[in-house]
Amino acid sequence: MIKQKGLLIVMSGPSGVGKGTVCKEYLSQNDNIAFSVSVTTRAPRPGETDGVEYFFRTEEEFINMRDNNGFLEHAYVHGKYYGTPRDVIEKRCAQGLDTLLDIDVQGALQVKKAMPDAVLVFLLPPSMQELEHRLRSRGTESEENVLIRLGNAVKELSFAKDYDYLIVNDTVKDSVERLSAIITAEHCRADKCEITK
């Protein structure tokens, strides 16, 4: 009776807010959604497999994909190219399968432009003080890096208004429940369903 297209759910938020944790927990509870695998020109690290952590490509292959509209978004970071492959996402959506993408603000806005049906979700910290606490409690960041990440967070938060949904990450459990509610609601939207006879 109702045929649904798959959704592309794009999750963004400042460093330390818990995007990776929320995404992993949601994926562990739902087997009808996949995590988007990016294309990169960096070399595989020990134990990494092509098509699992990343699609590993040469710079020439990447540029060819880019020039042929092969990415929903792409960026050049630390001397290497990264991008979200358009064909994989479009095939999954056409098959009625959902995909979750964890990406920065600039990438998310590129995705929305390339794929207006994408659902953008911004994960917010309960407060800047809590974000600073989370960054410091990692124990992996220098003082300089903590300050840089906090400065970047302020800039990123100014883009939250461009997203479809906001989730305050008080607890992982609550955030996963809110993400689940958003995805359920999006699947019930009339403009995202096709009524068949």
Side-chain angles (χ1 to χ4, degrees):
M1 182 78 186
I2 294 179
K3 184 181 177 187
Q4 292 180 326
K5 278 179 65 179
L7 300 173
L8 174 59
I9 302 97
V10 181
M11 173 82 74
S12 302
S15 179
V17 77
K19 295 183 303 294
T21 304
V22 170
C23 287
K24 273 184 199 159
E25 186 59 29
Y26 182 83
L27 289 163
S28 75
Q29 295 177 21
N30 297 275
D31 53 11
N32 58 341
I33 187 166
F35 193 72
S36 176
V37 178
S38 295
V39 177
T40 185
T41 58
R42 79 158 172 79
R45 295 182 182 134
E48 288 184 330
T49 306
D50 184 54
V52 177
E53 288 80 15
Y54 286 96
F55 294 110
F56 297 100
R57 299 294 181 263
T58 65
E59 192 166 310
E60 185 181 342
E61 288 170 326
F62 190 99
I63 290 169
N64 186 47
M65 283 180 73
R66 181 196 67 194
D67 292 349
N68 287 289
N69 201 25
F71 295 109
L72 291 175
E73 62 78 34
H74 58 84
Y76 188 70
V77 183
H78 306 305
K80 303 295 177 196
Y81 288 101
Y82 294 84
T84 302
R86 179 186 295 274
D87 63 341
V88 175
I89 304 290
E90 287 180 347
K91 279 180 195 163
R92 287 188 57 79
C93 286
Q95 293 166 350
L97 303 169
D98 295 343
T99 307
L100 182 60
L101 174 59
D102 172 357
I103 198 166
D104 69 10
V105 167
Q106 286 76 16
L109 297 179
Q110 282 185 55
V111 169
K112 191 69 169 179
K113 194 172 179 185
M115 198 171 178
D117 276 354
V119 180
L120 271 54
V121 180
F122 197 94
L123 197 63
L124 294 156
S127 67
M128 287 304 288
Q129 292 80 6
E130 177 59 23
L131 183 65
E132 182 175 356
H133 170 73
R134 290 177 187 180
L135 283 169
R136 292 187 187 285
S137 64
R138 283 177 169 180
T140 58
E141 308 292 338
S142 67
E143 180 63 19
E144 183 184 4
N145 276 348
V146 167
L147 294 176
I148 288 170
R149 289 178 188 274
L150 287 171
N152 288 341
V154 171
K155 292 177 198 161
E156 289 169 331
L157 289 169
S158 70
F159 288 96
K161 66 186 181 329
D162 298 320
Y163 281 65
D164 301 308
Y165 297 94
L166 304 177
I167 297 175
V168 176
N169 190 18
D170 286 313
T171 69
V172 173
K173 180 179 180 289
D174 287 348
S175 295
V176 169
E177 284 176 3
R178 289 182 186 119
L179 180 58
S180 183
I182 288 166
I183 293 171
T184 299
E186 283 292 319
H187 273 297
C188 294
R189 286 178 51 139
D191 62 342
K192 294 200 176 169
C193 297
E194 182 185 328
I195 299 174
T196 59
K197 293 180 180 177

